[in-house]
Amino acid sequence: TAQTYYEAARYLQEQNIEYPRALQYLKQALKLGGDTYYFHRVKSLVEAELGDYKNAILSAQKSLALAQKQDKDEFVRMNQNNIATWKTLLLNHEN
């Protein structure tokens, strides 16, 4: 199920292991379960760990928009902070 793929990806992300596999699981979770703020949130974290800040920002922006619709203020703040951090890292990486 989508939730199973998400939970497996979340475990890998929390253990700091197998980020490429975690990303595959998250893509499958999104395919099966649709957009959720927490699927996109973890996807953004995994993408950032892989150094893919452009996609991490895009995923965090999706998570942010979905979290705002559901009044998940904590997730709004976390996504805003990560987006700001990753934009800085992206700029530094490009320079």
Side-chain angles (χ1 to χ4, degrees):
T1 67
Q3 191 65 28
T4 302
Y5 278 109
Y6 165 76
E7 289 173 8
R10 180 81 177 147
Y11 172 80
L12 295 173
Q13 182 265 327
E14 288 175 347
Q15 298 301 310
N16 298 314
I17 59 173
E18 298 187 49
Y19 291 114
R21 183 182 294 185
L23 186 56
Q24 289 175 341
Y25 288 168
L26 288 159
K27 287 178 180 179
Q28 190 65 24
L30 286 161
K31 182 178 174 182
L32 294 173
D35 288 331
T36 69
Y37 68 88
Y38 51 93
F39 286 4
H40 284 290
R41 165 89 180 140
V42 175
K43 185 172 179 276
S44 74
L45 297 173
V46 169
E47 289 164 336
E49 287 296 329
L50 290 168
D52 186 357
Y53 297 117
K54 286 182 183 179
N55 281 317
I57 291 165
L58 291 173
S59 294
Q61 288 170 334
K62 287 179 187 176
S63 178
L64 173 65
L66 293 165
Q68 285 174 324
K69 287 180 184 178
Q70 295 183 20
D71 294 323
K72 300 292 185 183
D73 294 339
E74 182 181 353
F75 282 87
V76 169
R77 282 190 299 278
M78 288 188 295
N79 282 310
Q80 288 171 333
N81 290 338
N82 285 350
I83 290 167
T85 298
W86 296 333
K87 281 184 177 180
T88 300
L89 291 171
L90 188 59
L91 286 173
N92 290 339
H93 184 69
E94 290 176 347
N95 292 332

